[in-house]
Amino acid sequence: NAGVTQTPKFQVLKTGQSMTLQCAQDMNHNSMYWYRQDPGMGLRLIYYSASEGTTDKGEVPNGYNVSRLNKREFSLRLESAAPSQTSVYFCASSPSKARLNTEAFFGQGTRLTVV
Amino acid sequence: SQQGEEDPQALSIQEGENATMNCSYKTSINNLQWYRQNSGRGLVHLILIRSNEREKHSGRLRVTLDTSKKSSSLLITASRAADTASYFCAPTYNQGGKLIFGQGTELSVKP
């Protein structure tokens, strides 16, 4: 069982470059999330998708765009990377909305450095 | 703010001791979830307690919920070095679908 798969695992970007972080889940989950985690900090929600075709901003959406391509895939795009976006990015999925008593499953993270 | 606030921020204990961490939140919840994160890895779900439950057990984990005080506690009994990790709570609200985390408690269990 693959669960939640993130690619790439590591990436170095130059300031101003763009890139897309990929996330795919094989558990037929409706909800998917993108978080960032900075050193010594908790996870901050960037974007959330409750179901295919819907997306919603989280706590720190500025500088990011997302696409819920289909039920399996939820991608995160940095259009013009900045050093402040250096972070570890986590994707997660859950069967349904958090209030409906379902747990979330996390990918292993993408370590992004912007120089 | 929708996130829970964990306390303490850091906790260091000896193997075999119990570890208690707390989570406080602001408004009525639907459920509260606890997760563990080993260094550099993704979060792993530990336990979910619903708003109408007061206590829940899973192996060496015991979670309590006091809705009158808007707080929850996670107790790890007979801790092991392998329990060294960061622990996060995530309260979820009746109107919310999102999972939002606090800063976490960093637990260090020394052999």
Side-chain angles (χ1 to χ4, degrees):
Chain A
N1 244 353
V4 178
T5 302
Q6 292 183 233
T7 54
K9 288 187 170 50
F10 301 92
Q11 184 71 49
V12 178
L13 285 180
K14 292 182 179 177
T15 297
Q17 285 186 319
S18 62
M19 82 161 292
T20 300
L21 280 63
Q22 308 285 356
C23 176
Q25 51 90 10
D26 61 2
M27 296 172 282
N28 201 36
H29 286 173
N30 286 309
S31 296
M32 296 187 75
Y33 307 80
W34 273 108
Y35 296 91
R36 62 176 287 173
Q37 185 175 34
D38 301 305
M41 303 278 288
L43 277 72
R44 291 185 290 172
L45 181 64
I46 305 172
Y47 269 95
Y48 163 65
S49 172
S51 60
E52 183 180 352
T54 68
T55 60
D56 193 11
K57 293 179 180 178
E59 303 165 280
V60 289
N62 290 344
Y64 304 96
N65 286 303
V66 289
S67 296
R68 185 74 185 268
L69 304 168
N70 47 55
K71 195 170 187 179
R72 287 188 66 247
E73 298 171 292
F74 189 36
S75 62
L76 179 72
R77 183 160 178 84
L78 286 70
E79 290 291 349
S80 179
S84 61
Q85 294 179 305
T86 293
S87 190
V88 181
Y89 292 84
F90 289 99
C91 176
S93 72
S94 65
S96 62
K97 296 176 183 179
R99 70 172 182 268
L100 298 179
N101 303 319
T102 60
E103 66 181 268
F105 296 80
F106 282 75
Q108 290 305 296
T110 295
R111 294 183 178 277
L112 176 67
T113 301
V114 183
V115 297
Chain B
S1 171
Q2 292 185 322
Q3 67 194 49
E5 291 187 13
E6 293 92 344
D7 175 67
Q9 289 189 354
L11 180 60
S12 182
I13 60 174
Q14 295 294 130
E15 215 167 21
E17 294 180 338
N18 295 341
T20 300
M21 33 208 117
N22 305 295
C23 172
S24 60
Y25 55 90
K26 296 256 169 56
T27 62
S28 296
I29 59 170
N30 197 59
N31 66 63
L32 189 141
Q33 305 184 31
W34 285 92
Y35 287 78
R36 182 187 74 229
Q37 183 183 34
N38 291 96
S39 181
R41 309 294 294 271
L43 274 67
V44 173
H45 182 264
L46 293 176
I47 199 162
L48 181 153
I49 187 164
R50 301 182 188 201
S51 61
N52 61 354
E53 297 175 313
R54 291 297 165 258
E55 189 170 311
K56 208 160 179 182
H57 295 255
S58 177
R60 293 183 296 112
L61 305 181
R62 173 177 165 245
V63 168
T64 59
L65 180 65
D66 187 334
T67 53
S68 67
K69 293 181 180 177
K70 294 186 173 56
S71 69
S72 174
S73 291
L74 171 66
L75 168 68
I76 304 174
T77 60
S79 62
R80 305 166 182 168
D83 295 326
T84 294
S86 292
Y87 292 81
F88 296 90
C89 71
T92 66
Y93 302 94
N94 293 333
Q95 302 304 318
K98 305 173 188 176
L99 204 57
I100 295 180
F101 296 91
Q103 302 274 343
T105 292
E106 191 173 333
L107 174 65
S108 175
V109 182
K110 300 187 188 310

